[in-house]
Amino acid sequence: MAERSLRGMSIGAKSLESDDNVDFAARNDVAYVCPKGHRTILPFAEGAEIPEEWECRCGMAARREGDEDREDDEISKPTRTHWDMLLERRTEDELKTLLEKRLQMHRDGWFPDYE
Ligand SMILES: [Zn+2]
């Protein structure tokens, strides 16, 4: 009995504490993207000076991701993947053709090393 009421108090105290110290509405999440494509999201307090660049965990300078309509941007334009970049260089049809050629070569036994 005593234990249960103690636990209840400690949970109550914790949630009160976090309500006091963390004001989510007053924070801006700013995303930085480095040349290697790493994305770092940093929470800045409202009114804080937000730098244009941030050092990425890999040591390169990450640029701040577009400031205007930042939230919409994150939803409609996800971070580019290697696959996206590949698709920019080759059309999907070209890739399909390449894959088909490759598969046909396998069927024809063009890769003796693999046997
Ligand atoms: Zn990086």
Side-chain angles (χ1 to χ4, degrees), residues 34-39 56-60 62:
C34 90
K36 287 186 178 177
H38 301 137
R39 204 146 169 271
C56 178
R57 61 180 180 272
C58 71
M60 300 193 75

Side-chain angles (χ1 to χ4, degrees), residues 10 19 39 66:
S10 106
D19 280 347
R39 204 146 169 271

Side-chain angles (χ1 to χ4, degrees), residues 3-4 6 11 14 17 20 23-24 26-28 32 38 40 45 50 55 65 75 83 89 94 104 112:
E3 200 188 41
R4 193 176 289 170
L6 254 172
I11 288 165
K14 257 182 200 160
E17 197 183 321
D20 281 344
D23 190 359
F24 289 105
R27 282 184 178 207
N28 291 319
Y32 292 87
H38 301 137
T40 310
I50 296 169
E55 194 182 309
E65 208 170 50
I75 295 161
W83 178 244
R89 284 199 293 264
E94 274 178 328
Q104 189 57 51

Side-chain angles (χ1 to χ4, degrees), residues 93-109:
D93 276 349
E94 274 178 328
L95 285 172
K96 274 181 193 157
T97 310
L98 275 174
L99 182 67
E100 198 48 51
K101 256 188 205 164
R102 203 78 179 164
L103 288 172
Q104 189 57 51
M105 281 164 97
H106 270 286
R107 286 188 209 109
D108 295 347

